[in-house]
Amino acid sequence: MKRLLILIILICFSNAYCQKFEKLALTPPMGWNSWNKFGCDINEDLIRQTADAMVSSGMKDAGYAYINIDDCWHGERDSLGFIHPDPQRFPSGMKVLADYVHSKGLKLGIYSDAGWKTCGGKPGSRGYEFQDARTYAEWGIDYLKYDWCNTEKLNAEGAYLTMRNALYAAGRPIVLSICEWGSNKPWEWEKNIGHLWRTTGDIYNCFDCIKDHGTWQSWGVMKILDMQKGLREYAGPDYWNDPDMLEVGNGMSVNEDRAHFSMWCMLAAPLIAGNDLRNMSKETLEILTNKEAVAVNQDSLGIQGFKYSEKDSIEIWFKPLVKGDWAMCTLNRGKQPYKFSFDWKNEKVIDDFAKRETKFAEIIYSIRDLWLKKEIGTTKEVLNKDIPGHDVLIMRLIKM
Ligand code: GLA
């Protein structure tokens, strides 16, 4: 038995099947996904137009790179088991679509499921993992979101490992986005399997509600935020906690969208827009392309932020950044405006995980408001600011 185990380990180390493609996501992936806004109502025109809009709107310049097709692109498997896209919705085929997206300087993502069927009832990859991975590689796919519906008694770690190995064997670097909703504590075992993993069930387009679907529930932005507790030490460059895709521009108020986006930046979460990029309001675009907020998210240290304090409706979060800077975000979860006052000299922010300290008594920081996009003082003076309901004050503390 022991010999067999050693043999398996040796084979694994010596062949090309047992690895993850590394360095594909050294900062949290940024892109767009069809699901939140369009569900199953997708086709190749939408994907092309979205790629066009990503470039013309300035989102590409702000860092967004992936155009991800979610569930329901599928047609049938043929008699040899090869999967084909729905011939009505994707008549040109995926290779042509990938070429188009690549010609815009963007990357194409696709979706499958570890079970027999996807959540939308389309063919899953179970039993076809290596064949599907080859197909995706041939099409020129760059990102795979791999879901967890209809998996019955499958072991999650094993199932995701199989797809990781299949992608590696197919030879095209493809980001693996694990989507098993946090059910099997993926953060404990996915670091060497995927590049990001969902930590929760699905997001729902509201600030703080729970949407009941009968057999399952989806979660408002604040509910998802609360579920990230205790997870920050599992994430880092090339392996990210994924609190689900953005709902910015899908119907919440501008303040709520701003709070949602800012908190996803603080969490070093993947920034996968979920709105209609072809028809965005000025406010939605401004939120998604705020380069200074995005810089907090994309900071090369890759350290997830943490909650420093909470009192009444107010939470204060910190995130260590390069060059000794910090991001600080004061989140007003309440509906009423809040008079926020912060006397730096009385605060001691220590991050044991990142081994960093703000040392406000010794170090002076200049304070930059990332939504006003201007300096608003230094940490020498007490900070006083009104924060509207369901909104944030997100700042960069720049070491002077
Ligand atoms: C699951 C996932 C969603 C989406 C749908 C598609 O619910 O969590 O993000 O991909 O499936 O059916």
Side-chain angles (χ1 to χ4, degrees):
M1 188 62 196
K2 206 171 156 193
R3 274 195 196 154
L4 183 67
L5 198 65
I6 291 171
L7 188 68
I8 292 174
I9 291 171
L10 282 178
I11 291 172
C12 200
F13 276 117
S14 65
N15 86 19
Y17 288 173
C18 303
Q19 286 187 46
K20 147 180 162 179
F21 277 110
E22 286 179 351
K23 301 191 181 151
L24 297 186
L26 290 177
T27 57
M30 293 175 68
W32 172 89
N33 174 293
S34 54
W35 184 254
N36 283 357
K37 175 73 184 175
F38 298 98
C40 278
D41 191 12
I42 55 173
N43 59 51
E44 62 180 48
D45 291 341
L46 169 69
I47 302 304
R48 278 205 189 89
Q49 289 162 10
T50 301
D52 294 348
M54 190 172 266
V55 176
S56 62
S57 65
M59 282 187 65
K60 178 176 176 241
D61 284 344
Y64 295 84
Y66 292 96
I67 300 284
N68 292 346
I69 309 172
D70 207 277
D71 205 349
C72 302
W73 58 268
H74 319 67
E76 301 295 329
R77 288 190 185 281
D78 64 22
S79 58
L80 296 175
F82 289 100
I83 186 75
H84 295 273
D86 181 320
Q88 259 86 50
R89 292 175 179 272
F90 293 87
S92 314
M94 287 299 175
K95 172 93 180 74
V96 171
L97 198 51
D99 288 347
Y100 184 80
V101 170
H102 292 155
S103 77
K104 298 260 146 188
L106 300 169
K107 298 176 176 183
L108 186 66
I110 211 164
Y111 162 101
S112 190
D113 189 291
W116 299 107
K117 286 192 167 168
T118 70
C119 300
K122 307 294 176 188
S125 286
R126 186 165 182 188
Y128 297 91
E129 292 88 348
F130 282 73
Q131 193 174 1
D132 284 355
R134 283 283 298 271
T135 303
Y136 304 151
E138 277 162 23
W139 286 344
I141 297 295
D142 305 292
Y143 185 114
L144 172 67
K145 174 173 167 183
Y146 202 45
D147 215 338
W148 190 239
C149 276
N150 306 303
T151 43
E152 293 159 5
K153 289 187 192 298
L154 269 191
N155 168 280
E157 183 175 356
Y160 283 100
L161 202 61
T162 302
M163 186 43 96
R164 178 203 72 173
N165 294 347
L167 292 173
Y168 200 81
R172 181 181 172 86
I174 293 181
V175 170
L176 179 56
S177 156
I178 284 159
C179 179
E180 62 76 80
W181 320 308
S183 316
N184 298 277
K185 296 193 176 166
W187 42 87
E188 289 181 352
W189 46 265
E190 306 246 22
K191 183 174 172 183
N192 296 316
I193 298 180
H195 300 90
L196 59 156
W197 48 81
R198 281 275 296 277
T199 53
T200 68
D202 289 5
I203 196 165
Y204 190 72
N205 184 29
C206 65
F207 195 65
D208 201 7
C209 72
I210 300 174
K211 170 79 178 167
D212 199 343
H213 303 271
T215 52
W216 60 288
Q217 294 167 321
S218 50
W219 310 94
V221 170
M222 290 297 112
K223 297 280 182 274
I224 296 226
L225 180 65
D226 291 341
M227 293 178 208
Q228 307 311 309
K229 195 170 173 214
L231 299 184
R232 73 185 289 252
E233 65 219 49
Y234 294 101
D238 230 17
Y239 47 95
W240 306 101
N241 286 313
D242 173 8
D244 208 358
M245 305 169 295
L246 295 167
E247 291 283 14
V248 174
N250 279 343
M252 281 188 285
S253 71
V254 173
N255 305 51
E256 291 171 340
D257 274 353
R258 190 162 40 225
H260 170 28
F261 190 76
S262 302
M263 290 315 301
W264 262 231
C265 290
M266 293 299 285
L267 291 173
L271 296 180
I272 308 292
N275 58 312
D276 186 346
L277 301 192
R278 303 164 308 172
N279 297 300
M280 276 187 277
S281 69
K282 191 171 135 278
E283 290 82 4
T284 296
L285 181 63
E286 259 172 37
I287 291 173
L288 291 172
T289 56
N290 180 328
K291 289 188 184 170
E292 297 190 39
V294 168
V296 167
N297 175 273
Q298 294 287 300
D299 185 85
S300 60
L301 290 182
I303 301 171
Q304 188 170 323
F306 62 96
K307 198 196 292 178
Y308 166 66
S309 66
E310 59 189 309
K311 189 173 168 258
D312 307 327
S313 67
I314 293 294
E315 291 182 4
I316 303 177
W317 290 68
F318 279 86
K319 180 182 194 293
L321 305 176
V322 286
K323 295 192 190 148
D325 290 0
W326 292 80
M328 171 177 169
C329 188
T330 305
L331 166 68
N332 181 2
R333 296 177 67 134
K335 284 192 180 139
Q336 301 308 318
Y338 189 89
K339 286 201 173 312
F340 177 59
S341 181
F342 199 75
D343 190 352
W344 308 91
K345 67 179 182 319
N346 298 336
E347 308 289 339
K348 222 173 157 44
V349 182
I350 300 173
D351 180 355
D352 290 332
F353 169 62
K355 306 204 173 18
R356 288 267 302 265
E357 242 182 273
T358 54
K359 295 196 179 151
F360 289 129
E362 298 159 37
I363 302 172
I364 298 169
Y365 298 84
S366 87
I367 307 167
R368 190 161 169 90
D369 181 324
L370 302 188
W371 291 110
L372 284 182
K373 298 182 186 154
K374 64 175 199 200
E375 317 285 322
I376 54 167
T378 74
T379 50
K380 270 199 280 191
E381 303 102 40
V382 177
L383 175 72
N384 288 302
K385 272 275 186 183
D386 289 343
I387 306 180
H390 290 187
D391 206 337
V392 285
L393 171 64
I394 183 170
M395 297 160 283
R396 188 175 185 114
L397 309 181
I398 303 160
K399 205 170 153 193
M400 291 175 79

